[in-house]
Amino acid sequence: MSILDNLNAEQKKAGAKVEGPLLILAGAGSGKTRTITYRIAHMIKELGISPYSILAVTFTNKAAKEMRERVENLIGEDGKRAMISTFHSFGLRLLRVYSKAIGYNPNFTIYDVDDQKKVVKGIMKQLVIKNKDLTEGKIVSKISKLKEDGMSPEEYEKTCRFEPDANIIYEVYKRYNQTLKENNGMDFSDILTNTYKLLENREILEKLQEKFRYIMVDEYQDTNNIQYRIVNKIAQKYRNICVVGDENQSIYGFRGADIRNILDFEKDYKDAKVIKLEENYRSTKIILEAANEVIKNNTSSKDKKLWTKKVSGDKIILKPCADGRDEVNFVVEEIVQMKNKGRRYNDFTILYRTNAQSRLFEEGFLRYNIPYKVFGGMQFYQRAEIKDILAYMSVVNNTRDGINLDRIINVPKRKIGDKTIEKIKVYAEEKGLSIYDSLKEAENIPGLSSAVIEKLKEFSMMMTEFEELSMELSVSELFDEIIKKVGYFSYLNSSYDDAESRIENIEELKNSIIELENVIDNLTLREYLENVSLVSATDDLDSEREYVKLMTIHNAKGLEFPVVFLVGMEDEIFPNTTKVMIDREALEEERRICYVAITRAEEKLYISHAAIRYMYGNMDYRTRSRFVDEIPQNLFEVRKNIAIETAVKEIERKINKAAESGMKLNIISDTKKLGKQLEAVKDFPYKVGDKVTHIKFGLGKVVGVNEKKIQVQFVDGKKEIAMILADKFLKK
């Protein structure tokens, strides 16, 4: 009996095809890793191919480790002798052996991103670069991209001289390379580019071609230009190259991945055999049909159609929601109901397009004591930029809050260093003052220069102004003043490569304020900060406990989950930007991201979208994602809400009428009426004015109610309780 007899018919064909070029198009959940590892085991154990002549490269250490372990489990010690590694690990091994051929000593140092930034910062200082928007982080990213595209400083200078700041980038890039070389150092991009330089040495290339006669590349759709060139250079002589991937899961274009590598494989190797793995072992028929219907709209798809022997399964639940909080309440209710029927929290995963979307779900899960874990990012209120702004607001609210004052006194940078802060603290202690009050007496603090005293006074006057404004402005208006006067967005843009993402998080923080202002009349700064402190109470979370998983779709690639909630399915959120309106390739990548999201679900898939959502601090009317409309309606079970539909249709009618007549429409005013319309359409078990007792907060009065939640005014503030959980917490 052959090792390959454990595979299905198409997998077996892929495993048996060893000589010549082979393209394995492996659909989601089709047993890709199983096929690769059985193929390697078959080559070594049954065909007698030396394990030392096999090179298999993939993208993550985890994937490489899993492949090595599976091969070893199949054939024992021989499995360890094949070269199964990531691209970078493979390149590093070669460079340690052959580095002298390109002018390095074998003991070269690998510089990480922080090291790179330090080098670039020093060069920028030498060149006296005053453009604050051109940060060292941005230049490091640009240099890495140029290297991976195989472009030297000289080539960049010739071909891109008309790009913004091209002369600065060229000079920094050139000096950066010189500095690394002088220090016998390489960055991560150099590992790949220098590996390719080795292959330009005929003697080294011939040695490697003789050694690695059989090459396999996993996740070929994710390869960039330099990785593509490396594997094809080594495979050039014997042409025994097997690439495995799925063009429909190419979602890393922003990292430099080039989908053309997999799409054009048959052009590169005209005699290539193509085998499609289309049997899916993960999802139900209905889920796969939805995925197939979405992805067939892409011109980049190679006519691969997933199928399964599994049962049809439940229909996809499609839930139109009134707004973001209604969406969270729906997800919470479904999780509670399924948990009560025997599901575990580990079964549930929330997938979203951008990290900022996690905030509402984190609040909802904390409010109802549902354990969760955010993957691929910090919890919303623990992010540095969020903590910075909340720290400003906390000091305005409580000027004796020295901990938060210590956080912000030099954010953004004001040349107020640690030694200065220590002198202020000593003075405050001696005089019996708060640090905040001590700043007003900066000229009396011993050991401070006149320049530092001036900076401290400016900061103190700004904070005093915020304190006065807090008496006059709403919380959201105060928030705007802090952002503007502090210059926080400029600070982010000049300090971080991911400034855009951080700014989105700040805008999402403003959304949280406005949403609460719409629930609580005349919301005070103290009430808002109290609400945040309750939401941030994560003491009960334990890594050993079960938890609901929250993550972006990019972070979910390669994973699978029993129950998936795909949330925020609205145009401009998913697909992500207005750019897709004019850029077909951008739209197709967004559609591939949607395909990846759908195919993560094993048993149940929920798709939800909101009619109204806060975007950048404004309440916007939302349009359902075009990707939802690409799924046949017979695959959905629509959870309708007549009240919401009626209210939303009325708003749609007004929008259309305004568009036809050229009239202006006050969207904010009309959408605020939605909540009032919903309250009037149902006889709820709790009425506005009812007196209730909460097991924790005591006596309270119902001040708002709809079919999803109850708002209760307690002594220490207003609280929201999901209707489904009301009987658990409230008594009339």
Side-chain angles (χ1 to χ4, degrees):
M1 178 178 172
S2 169
I3 289 172
L4 300 180
D5 288 340
N6 293 297
L7 304 177
N8 69 31
E10 293 306 303
Q11 291 172 339
K12 191 172 181 179
K13 286 180 189 175
K17 168 68 176 170
V18 171
E19 304 294 331
L22 171 64
L23 170 61
I24 303 175
L25 293 172
S30 63
K32 168 179 67 72
T33 304
R34 179 180 175 86
T35 303
I36 296 171
T37 52
Y38 271 77
R39 185 177 188 268
I40 294 171
H42 167 66
M43 290 167 67
I44 296 170
K45 196 75 173 177
E46 296 177 342
L47 299 183
I49 293 171
S50 169
Y52 297 109
S53 66
I54 297 172
L55 169 64
V57 285
T58 187
F59 280 83
T60 66
N61 290 322
K62 181 183 175 185
K65 183 173 181 284
E66 183 184 357
M67 286 170 64
R68 283 195 299 269
E69 288 174 349
R70 288 203 193 186
V71 173
E72 190 180 343
N73 288 338
L74 286 170
I75 60 173
E77 287 295 309
D78 277 344
K80 292 181 179 178
R81 298 182 177 98
M83 175 75 82
I84 302 174
S85 74
T86 64
F87 275 97
H88 283 90
S89 295
F90 170 65
L92 204 51
R93 291 192 191 189
L94 295 186
L95 288 164
R96 292 295 182 196
V97 176
Y98 299 111
S99 57
K100 287 184 178 178
I102 54 171
Y104 287 84
N105 290 327
N107 63 338
F108 58 83
T109 300
I110 302 298
Y111 288 164
D112 64 17
V113 173
D114 284 339
D115 296 325
Q116 292 175 264
K117 287 181 180 178
K118 285 177 186 175
V119 173
V120 168
K121 188 174 184 178
I123 294 168
M124 292 174 74
K125 194 173 181 181
Q126 292 169 8
L127 296 173
V128 195
I129 296 170
K130 296 180 179 179
N131 183 347
K132 291 183 179 179
D133 290 332
L134 198 60
T135 64
E136 57 263 28
K138 287 181 179 178
I139 292 182
V140 165
S141 297
K142 179 69 174 178
I143 289 172
S144 295
K145 179 70 168 64
L146 292 172
K147 286 185 176 184
E148 289 173 6
D149 284 343
M151 190 175 289
S152 68
E154 292 70 30
E155 288 169 326
Y156 174 75
E157 199 270 338
K158 286 178 185 175
T159 58
C160 304
R161 64 180 62 187
F162 298 113
E163 281 189 5
D165 302 309
N167 58 330
I168 296 174
I169 292 168
Y170 160 70
E171 191 62 36
V172 175
Y173 186 9
K174 183 179 69 173
R175 294 192 186 197
Y176 171 83
N177 278 355
Q178 290 170 350
T179 304
L180 262 61
K181 195 72 178 286
E182 288 167 3
N183 286 275
N184 194 38
M186 298 184 197
D187 60 31
F188 281 94
S189 297
D190 284 329
I191 294 173
L192 297 177
T193 55
N194 286 336
T195 296
Y196 188 77
K197 283 181 185 176
L198 291 179
L199 301 181
E200 292 179 317
N201 180 307
R202 179 174 292 181
E203 184 180 343
I204 294 172
L205 176 61
E206 287 177 354
K207 282 183 181 178
L208 294 174
Q209 288 176 333
E210 286 300 322
K211 178 172 175 57
F212 298 115
R213 297 190 178 204
Y214 299 90
I215 299 171
M216 274 175 266
V217 186
D218 186 25
E219 303 287 9
Y220 194 61
Q221 77 280 351
D222 293 335
T223 52
N224 61 25
N225 179 272
I226 197 73
Q227 290 160 338
Y228 166 84
R229 291 162 69 189
I230 288 169
V231 294
N232 283 285
K233 193 92 167 172
I234 299 173
Q236 204 171 49
K237 184 172 183 180
Y238 289 101
R239 305 179 77 257
N240 297 324
I241 180 170
C242 167
V243 301
V244 187
D246 182 1
E247 77 286 0
N248 293 334
Q249 294 188 72
S250 178
I251 63 173
Y252 292 114
F254 67 96
R255 290 185 190 168
D258 191 342
I259 193 174
R260 291 173 298 181
N261 294 346
I262 193 167
L263 296 178
D264 293 346
F265 185 80
E266 294 160 87
K267 293 180 183 176
D268 295 337
Y269 298 91
K270 299 194 185 307
D271 56 337
K273 183 174 180 63
V274 180
I275 295 174
K276 296 179 183 179
L277 305 185
E278 298 172 296
E279 183 176 359
N280 177 284
Y281 294 92
R282 176 187 299 159
S283 307
T284 64
K285 287 181 180 176
I286 281 179
I287 291 170
L288 294 183
E289 188 175 344
N292 287 331
E293 288 296 315
V294 169
I295 204 65
K296 76 178 186 182
N297 294 287
N298 270 8
T299 58
S300 60
S301 184
K302 292 176 78 72
D303 194 31
K304 183 170 71 279
K305 192 169 184 180
L306 295 176
W307 62 276
T308 183
K309 292 176 182 174
K310 281 190 172 185
V311 296
S312 290
D314 296 335
K315 286 191 173 185
I316 298 166
I317 305 298
L318 179 62
K319 175 62 177 176
C321 301
D323 55 26
R325 291 193 178 276
D326 185 39
E327 183 177 46
V328 171
N329 287 335
F330 168 70
V331 170
V332 168
E333 287 173 9
E334 291 296 311
I335 288 174
V336 169
Q337 288 176 4
M338 285 187 275
K339 180 75 166 57
N340 290 339
K341 292 177 182 177
R343 287 274 188 190
R344 302 168 64 219
Y345 285 126
N346 285 343
D347 289 343
F348 308 117
T349 300
I350 318 297
L351 296 183
Y352 36 78
R353 181 64 183 83
T354 63
N355 275 312
Q357 291 172 260
S358 74
R359 193 262 304 174
L360 283 176
F361 290 94
E362 291 183 58
E363 288 184 2
F365 290 150
L366 284 166
R367 191 178 297 122
Y368 299 114
N369 201 30
I370 294 174
Y372 72 92
K373 184 172 180 179
V374 179
F375 288 80
M378 285 182 279
Q379 293 177 349
F380 185 83
Y381 290 103
Q382 295 303 310
R383 291 168 179 143
E385 61 274 16
I386 301 301
K387 289 174 76 74
D388 286 347
I389 301 306
L390 290 177
Y392 271 100
M393 298 172 81
S394 295
V395 174
V396 172
N397 180 62
N398 174 20
T399 58
R400 296 191 65 83
D401 186 351
I403 293 173
N404 275 310
L405 182 61
D406 194 46
R407 179 184 183 92
I408 60 173
I409 196 168
N410 202 36
V411 176
K413 298 286 185 188
R414 300 185 177 92
K415 297 182 180 178
I416 303 172
D418 292 341
K419 290 181 180 178
T420 297
I421 293 169
E422 192 58 39
K423 289 172 184 175
I424 297 168
K425 288 179 179 178
V426 169
Y427 179 84
E429 188 171 350
E430 287 176 352
K431 298 294 183 182
L433 298 172
S434 67
I435 297 174
Y436 186 90
D437 288 335
S438 296
L439 298 179
K440 298 174 183 177
E441 301 179 12
E443 67 271 14
N444 298 328
I445 300 175
L448 299 184
S449 69
S450 57
V452 168
I453 290 170
E454 189 63 31
K455 290 289 182 185
L456 291 174
K457 282 188 170 182
E458 287 175 8
F459 176 75
S460 178
M461 288 172 62
M462 180 179 69
M463 295 304 295
T464 300
E465 183 182 1
F466 290 156
E467 195 180 349
E468 291 169 355
L469 287 172
S470 70
M471 306 296 180
E472 306 167 7
L473 304 179
S474 68
V475 181
S476 58
E477 288 169 339
L478 175 64
F479 174 95
D480 287 340
E481 288 298 313
I482 290 172
I483 294 293
K484 182 172 69 178
K485 285 187 167 60
V486 166
Y488 198 75
F489 285 173
S490 297
Y491 157 67
L492 291 177
N493 278 319
S494 64
S495 305
Y496 297 99
D497 294 341
D498 60 347
E500 185 176 352
S501 175
R502 290 173 186 258
I503 289 170
E504 285 177 359
N505 290 333
I506 295 295
E507 287 166 340
E508 184 65 10
L509 181 64
K510 183 179 178 181
N511 290 344
S512 76
I513 297 170
I514 293 174
E515 288 171 353
L516 205 60
E517 284 177 335
N518 284 335
V519 172
I520 300 175
D521 293 331
N522 302 313
L523 176 73
T524 66
L525 180 57
R526 179 188 62 80
E527 285 175 326
Y528 174 69
L529 293 170
E530 280 180 0
N531 180 74
V532 169
S533 66
L534 284 172
V535 166
S536 301
T538 58
D539 295 345
D540 291 337
L541 291 180
D542 185 340
S543 61
E544 298 300 317
R545 287 173 56 186
E546 288 186 43
Y547 47 74
V548 177
K549 293 173 282 293
L550 292 88
M551 65 184 77
T552 64
I553 300 162
H554 281 93
N555 284 319
K557 187 172 177 290
L559 304 176
E560 54 192 38
F561 316 103
V563 181
V564 168
F565 292 87
L566 181 51
V567 300
M569 286 295 285
E570 299 138 34
D571 277 347
E572 291 184 43
I573 293 178
F574 198 10
N576 185 236
T577 65
T578 51
K579 182 184 175 186
V580 301
M581 303 292 289
I582 55 173
D583 188 337
R584 182 182 58 79
E585 288 185 5
L587 176 60
E588 294 211 351
E589 176 141 333
E590 288 290 308
R591 189 176 281 112
R592 292 193 293 270
I593 296 169
C594 182
Y595 173 84
V596 167
I598 293 170
T599 54
R600 298 312 93 194
E602 297 175 303
E603 301 167 29
K604 289 182 74 71
L605 175 62
Y606 289 79
I607 293 177
S608 56
H609 58 92
I612 299 161
R613 193 179 294 276
Y614 283 96
M615 298 290 289
Y616 313 113
N618 296 314
M619 186 187 283
D620 284 350
Y621 178 79
R622 311 302 302 155
T623 303
R624 185 169 79 177
S625 170
R626 66 194 71 189
F627 299 148
V628 176
D629 296 330
E630 291 174 358
I631 299 173
Q633 293 303 297
N634 66 305
L635 301 183
F636 289 126
E637 175 191 325
V638 182
R639 296 281 180 85
K640 291 188 177 181
N641 185 314
I642 302 302
I644 292 171
E645 286 189 357
T646 301
V648 170
K649 282 179 180 176
E650 176 61 18
I651 293 171
E652 283 182 319
R653 185 188 67 77
K654 289 181 178 179
I655 289 173
N656 292 333
K657 185 177 179 182
E660 291 170 3
S661 62
M663 292 169 53
K664 288 187 177 179
L665 180 68
N666 187 343
I667 266 292
I668 294 178
S669 172
D670 278 298
T671 49
K672 278 184 177 177
K673 293 175 184 175
L674 178 59
K676 294 178 181 178
Q677 291 171 336
L678 299 182
E679 287 183 24
V681 297
K682 193 169 181 178
D683 184 22
F684 298 115
Y686 294 85
K687 302 279 193 305
V688 172
D690 283 352
K691 290 182 179 179
V692 293
T693 302
H694 189 280
I695 60 174
K696 179 178 178 182
F697 302 117
L699 186 65
K701 180 181 177 182
V702 176
V703 294
V705 60
N706 61 39
E707 65 173 21
K708 295 294 180 185
K709 61 192 175 187
I710 303 166
Q711 296 164 7
V712 183
Q713 177 70 56
F714 295 103
V715 174
D716 61 346
K718 292 178 184 176
K719 312 291 181 188
E720 291 183 356
I721 295 117
M723 184 67 77
I724 191 172
L725 301 174
D727 291 339
K728 181 178 177 181
F729 292 104
L730 296 180
K731 288 184 180 178
K732 284 189 178 181

